Amino acid sequence: MARPVRHGAGNASGWLRRIALCAAMLGAPFASGAPVTGHLAGAAGAAAQHIALPAADGDYIEATLDSGAVQVVLDLVATDGRRQRRLLDGARGSNTVRFVAATGQQLQLSARHGSGDYRFEIVRQVPRERQLAPPDTSLSPRVAALARTLAAGGNTEAFWQAVAAEGTPLVEAVPDARDDSKRIVTFLWRGARHGVRLLGGPATDHDELQRLGDSDVWFRSYVVPADTRASYRLAPDVPSFDGSPRERRVAILATLQADPLNRHPWPQDAVDAFARESTFALPAAPVQPGLVPEQGQREVATGRLTKWQQTSKGLGNTRDITLYRPPGFNPADPATVLLFVFDAPQYLGKVPTPAILDNLRAAGRLPPVVAVFVDNADNARGRELPDNPDFARFMAEELLPRVARETGLKPDARRTVLAGSSYGGLASTSIALRYPQRFGNVLSMSGSYWWSPDGTPEDQREYTARRLLKLPKLPLRFFVSAGLFEGPHAYTAAILDTNRHLRDVLEARGYPVHYREYAGGHDYLVWRGALADGLLALFGNGKNPR
């Protein structure tokens, strides 16, 4: 958590006048530097509570809300009650929110489930005048042409009209290219005050867009493979202030949102632009198997989902488990594959795994698959997924037996697979290394193989690859994938490089491994194709691991 700071700027009397003005406008007390506490009732019809924001237009706000076991919804609303942004949606425990304030806003807090006390506190507030300007980056061909127009006395109106007609990002051929394997992709924002940052897409970090002179055009261009597929978001006017590198880095969450000129939002039913991403796929991007029924399939039978809460004695916590049974499920069918997937909400939403399994099964490309979607316990993901022996024991000795009882399956390690992305990919490998007699297959997407336990010497990083070198060869098969845009970050080695190293180690040890790289980033839009590719590589087209 960021350290508490003095709210606002200027002399004390000016600050007190701002507090009084906010209180008068919004009707809820908020003392500078003091937390707001209260009680939430989850009963039907219970009124939402409002929290005033002692903030000026453009202030960067970082705040914490601790609701204990109460499941809460936190919205940023205008004085007339219109919701402008959803900050928390069904969260429990302690959570941090970041946003840029606008005049006349307040917070609206309600309980979705449960009753209890809450505590809200602003831990960082940076006025616009104390926020720093970003550095410049490079030009793109189309923006260069616009620069010439502006130099000749023109304006940007025709440019923006053309952009609105075709949508963003702009895609251009590479001038004088020897082949057709690359494209220039340009991201745009209109009318930011002091900067725009790009998260996702080809960016390997929070890349800055450049302003074209003193115009309303902000842009950044990349040369990318012609088969690129990616999602991205843009953050205009990200507050920059005198704080730690991480505190300044996460401030991007305050304004991060979908590109308003992009025509392919994802997901389309997101509650607002801040919860939505923008996507693009160049014409050569690979088909993602199973997203839609294959040609000629008029009706596809759908599987059945059931859900329970699994309490772990060993971990001392509870999580949601969702079980997918394929249509016509027969627990005695020896061809059945048992799939465990981490980060359940994402692989039931952004990655529509049940529909993918339905479609691939209907097309005859996969055998029946029973899927178990494993949610994260509150605030436990970063502790449990990175090679945690207690979590591995939970998977092997608590969850797997429960799934066997629920389904009537007799799990066979050779047809049981652990799947996940990022930390979930790391967990898939580390759990299989600990329990190869239970989980015989790993489907890892952009696994975090840069990870090492705290205190690991610098020259002994990439802990999982080192374990594989030391362990005797185990009865495991692997599908490993990574994105070409997954380069190094400020604090970690590149996911692309560490996945390539893991592949090399697996091959050197004689493990069966399918390896694939995608022209994309650390991205569920990419992983929804990688999951299907991995299942097909391991079990599709009649493959039998026996």
Side-chain angles (χ1 to χ4, degrees):
M1 178 185 297
R3 64 183 185 277
V5 298
R6 181 184 181 91
H7 298 310
N11 60 48
S13 61
W15 173 234
L16 291 173
R17 282 196 298 271
R18 287 172 64 185
I19 295 175
L21 177 61
C22 288
M25 292 175 61
L26 303 176
F30 199 113
S32 174
V36 171
T37 59
H39 185 83
L40 289 169
Q49 299 193 24
H50 292 85
I51 301 172
L53 286 173
D57 188 58
D59 283 8
Y60 168 67
I61 302 293
E62 179 180 338
T64 60
L65 176 66
D66 191 341
S67 62
V70 184
Q71 190 178 43
V72 297
V73 174
L74 181 65
D75 289 323
L76 193 63
V77 300
T79 50
D80 61 4
R82 290 182 297 107
R83 186 180 69 227
Q84 297 177 321
R85 178 175 180 180
R86 177 147 295 176
L87 298 170
L88 295 173
D89 193 355
R92 295 187 179 91
S94 180
N95 293 275
T96 301
V97 296
R98 300 171 179 89
F99 56 93
V100 171
T103 302
Q105 287 179 323
Q106 60 182 324
L107 295 170
Q108 179 174 286
L109 176 64
S110 58
R112 177 170 290 171
H113 179 73
S115 300
D117 296 333
Y118 71 88
R119 184 178 190 272
F120 175 85
E121 182 178 10
I122 293 178
V123 295
R124 179 177 293 277
Q125 183 166 353
V126 184
R128 184 191 301 166
E129 60 267 23
R130 288 173 51 198
Q131 298 168 18
L132 309 179
D136 286 345
T137 55
S138 59
L139 282 174
S140 75
R142 279 186 69 171
V143 176
L146 175 61
R148 292 191 293 270
T149 298
L150 296 177
N155 59 43
T156 64
E157 287 305 317
F159 174 80
W160 285 120
Q161 288 176 13
V163 168
E166 63 184 283
T168 50
L170 303 183
V171 179
E172 308 167 68
V174 178
D176 304 320
R178 294 185 178 181
D179 58 38
D180 202 35
S181 63
K182 303 288 185 181
R183 294 289 185 276
I184 296 171
V185 175
T186 301
F187 298 88
L188 296 165
W189 186 275
R190 186 175 192 179
R193 292 189 295 265
H194 61 72
V196 185
R197 285 155 70 179
L198 171 69
L199 182 66
T204 57
D205 211 333
H206 300 179
D207 291 355
E208 303 279 0
L209 274 63
Q210 178 181 344
R211 188 176 185 181
L212 182 60
D214 60 357
S215 75
D216 60 355
V217 176
W218 294 80
F219 66 95
R220 180 140 183 165
S221 296
Y222 301 82
V223 177
V224 301
D227 59 349
T228 294
R229 172 184 281 112
S231 68
Y232 68 96
R233 287 181 286 174
L234 293 165
D237 300 320
V238 176
S240 184
F241 45 83
D242 184 15
S244 72
R246 187 180 187 283
E247 289 169 344
R248 294 177 63 184
R249 180 180 177 83
V250 298
I252 193 174
L253 299 175
T255 68
L256 195 63
Q257 59 192 271
D259 179 352
L261 293 170
N262 179 276
R263 293 183 172 181
H264 304 284
W266 180 60
Q268 293 189 359
D269 60 354
V271 294
D272 55 40
F274 296 93
R276 192 176 298 124
E277 299 179 49
S278 301
T279 72
F280 69 98
L282 300 186
V287 172
Q288 295 186 310
L291 279 182
V292 296
E294 294 200 357
Q295 190 172 3
Q297 293 179 323
R298 295 182 178 178
E299 293 185 7
V300 171
T302 58
R304 181 167 64 96
L305 294 174
T306 56
K307 190 172 183 178
W308 71 81
Q309 286 197 321
Q310 180 92 16
T311 298
S312 168
K313 294 181 180 179
L315 295 171
N317 57 26
T318 300
R319 75 194 66 236
D320 290 335
I321 302 295
T322 303
L323 178 68
Y324 163 89
R325 293 177 175 87
F329 170 57
N330 177 7
D333 185 347
T336 300
V337 172
L338 179 56
L339 167 68
F340 289 85
V341 187
F342 299 111
D343 295 317
Q346 287 70 33
Y347 282 89
L348 289 165
K350 284 189 169 183
V351 180
T353 310
I356 291 171
L357 296 176
D358 290 337
N359 292 332
L360 292 178
R361 173 61 176 158
R365 300 184 66 187
L366 273 183
V369 177
V370 171
V372 184
F373 299 90
V374 184
D375 206 345
N376 300 304
D378 289 344
N379 302 313
R381 185 178 188 270
R383 181 178 69 253
E384 292 183 344
L385 294 187
D387 198 16
N388 184 321
D390 295 328
F391 183 70
R393 189 177 305 112
F394 160 74
M395 292 291 299
E397 298 180 4
E398 297 184 58
L399 183 56
L400 181 62
R402 171 73 181 270
V403 170
R405 293 194 300 271
E406 293 283 340
T407 61
L409 283 171
K410 294 182 179 179
D412 179 349
R414 293 169 295 184
R415 302 194 71 79
T416 301
V417 55
L418 295 163
S421 49
S422 195
Y423 270 165
L426 172 64
S428 298
T429 297
S430 62
I431 294 169
L433 293 179
R434 292 181 183 276
Y435 291 93
Q437 73 279 15
R438 308 284 179 88
F439 308 102
N441 300 271
V442 172
L443 198 166
S444 172
M445 300 166 284
S446 302
S448 300
Y449 297 113
W450 52 263
W451 178 89
S452 295
D454 290 342
T456 301
E458 186 69 32
D459 61 351
Q460 297 178 27
R461 300 295 171 87
E462 298 189 50
Y463 178 77
T464 303
R466 287 181 172 273
R467 281 189 66 195
L468 278 161
L469 288 171
K470 295 176 181 179
L471 289 170
K473 184 182 175 185
L474 302 170
L476 298 174
R477 300 189 309 146
F478 290 84
F479 174 88
V480 178
S481 69
L484 294 177
F485 306 149
E486 296 190 273
H489 287 272
Y491 311 108
T492 66
I495 281 181
L496 178 59
D497 293 342
T498 53
N499 273 265
R500 286 173 173 173
H501 184 210
L502 183 80
R503 171 204 60 195
D504 294 344
V505 170
L506 289 169
E507 290 178 344
R509 294 302 314 277
Y511 283 96
V513 54
H514 304 269
Y515 181 76
R516 184 157 181 183
E517 293 179 353
Y518 297 90
H522 204 69
D523 193 340
Y524 284 104
L525 190 74
V526 175
W527 298 333
R528 69 183 189 179
L531 178 68
D533 288 340
L535 289 171
L536 291 169
L538 293 169
F539 302 106
N541 299 321
K543 290 185 177 69
N544 190 333
R546 297 173 185 273

